[in-house]
Every structure is written in structure tokens, then in C-alpha cells.
């Protein structure tokens, strides 16, 4: 059940929706919203609630203890696989026809159905490979 829409929650949701393709830490969110008067405890409290509501996903990366949050409630996130660059942290939406073929093959051959909205494939994006 969604919580009451406080000023802090509204500011956090607006910021997350504007940065839907980025994995952000709670500290990065607090820093970005410092002008809104949002404390780190309010950020964590709202992130917890948003995660329970299915609006964000918590992501951990290997080799780090840092926790990242990704906004998944946008229309562009629904029903697609996510690709995440291990170098720059940018998230891409993979919604090409090949995805459906991959999903169907996995479901038929391995009897495994993937939850696309909660799946992240990690690698290195084209921009970072060029560097």
C-alpha cells in the first residue's frame, strides 16, 4: 500500500524518475536532494518503502559493499531486461526482438521463466569499451 506523499517522498520520486537509468546510492540521493532538506534517514526510510512497493530495486555489485538503487516504475522499465555497465553504472533497457527469442528458448529448453523487470545483466557498455 503506497504511503502518504510527503514533500520529501515527492522530491525523491521526481529525482529517481529523472534518473531512471542510473544506479544511485543513498548518499548520492541525499547529496542531490540536499536543497530539498531531506536527511539521510528520510532517504533510507523512503527507499525502503519504495522497494516494498516495487518502484525501485536494490542492487549490489560484486567487489563492493555499496548498495545502489534503481528506479523501475517508469514505463520504459516495465517488461524489459536491464543491462548494467560495470564501469560507468549506466543501465540500459534491452527490449529488442532477440530478447523474446532468448526468453522463449530458456522457458522451453530449461523450463525457466525469467522475471524481466527484475533481471540485470552486467557487462561493459560500448562507450566504456572505447576508453
Amino acid at each position: 500500500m503506497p504511503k502518504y506523499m510527503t514533500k520529501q517522498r515527492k522530491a525523491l520520486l521526481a529525482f529517481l524518475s529523472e534518473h531512471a537509468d542510473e544506479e544511485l546510492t543513498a548518499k548520492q540521493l541525499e547529496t542531490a536532494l540536499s536543497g530539498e532538506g531531506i536527511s539521510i534517514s528520510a532517504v533510507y526510510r523512503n527507499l525502503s518503502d519504495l522497494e516494498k512497493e516495487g518502484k525501485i530495486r536494490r542492487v549490489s555489485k560484486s567487489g563492493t559493499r555499496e548498495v545502489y538503487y534503481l528506479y523501475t516504475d517508469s514505463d520504459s522499465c516495465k517488461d524489459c531486461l536491464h543491462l548494467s555497465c560495470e564501469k560507468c553504472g549506466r543501465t540500459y533497457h534491452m527490449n529488442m526482438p532477440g530478447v523474446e527469442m532468448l526468453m522463449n528458448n530458456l522457458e522451453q529448453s530449461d523450463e525457466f521463466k525469467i522475471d524481466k523487470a527484475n533481471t540485470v545483466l552486467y557487462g561493459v557498455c560500448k562507450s566504456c569499451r572505447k576508453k
Side-chain angles (χ1 to χ4, degrees):
M1 173 176 214
K3 287 196 145 212
Y4 177 73
M5 186 62 73
T6 64
K7 179 181 154 194
Q8 294 173 333
R9 184 178 173 92
K10 188 182 282 189
L12 179 60
L13 274 171
F15 185 83
L16 287 169
S17 67
E18 291 168 8
H19 297 87
D21 293 335
E22 297 176 46
E23 293 174 348
L24 302 162
T25 65
K27 186 66 178 160
Q28 288 173 315
L29 291 166
E30 178 203 21
T31 301
L33 297 168
S34 63
E36 302 289 331
I38 300 176
S39 67
I40 191 71
S41 62
V43 169
Y44 277 114
R45 186 173 48 257
N46 280 289
L47 288 173
S48 176
D49 292 338
L50 291 170
E51 185 179 13
K52 288 175 190 170
E53 294 168 21
K55 294 181 184 294
I56 64 168
R57 183 177 60 245
R58 185 190 329 212
V59 180
S60 299
K61 296 181 181 181
S62 66
T64 180
R65 299 177 89 181
E66 195 75 60
V67 175
Y68 297 85
Y69 298 89
L70 178 66
Y71 183 72
T72 57
D73 200 40
S74 68
D75 289 337
S76 63
C77 276
K78 293 184 187 329
D79 206 36
C80 69
L81 287 174
H82 295 86
L83 305 173
S84 181
C85 180
E86 294 173 313
K87 289 193 176 190
C88 69
R90 183 160 179 222
T91 299
Y92 300 86
H93 297 113
M94 184 178 174
N95 50 12
M96 303 177 326
V99 172
E100 290 306 317
M101 189 182 333
L102 170 67
M103 304 289 281
N104 290 335
N105 287 341
L106 282 171
E107 193 168 351
Q108 290 174 4
S109 66
D110 296 320
E111 297 181 1
F112 191 83
K113 183 159 178 71
I114 292 177
D115 178 1
K116 289 191 281 186
N118 286 313
T119 301
V120 179
L121 302 175
Y122 293 92
V124 180
C125 72
K126 183 178 181 178
S127 297
C128 289
R129 282 193 317 266
K130 287 182 179 180
K131 293 178 184 177

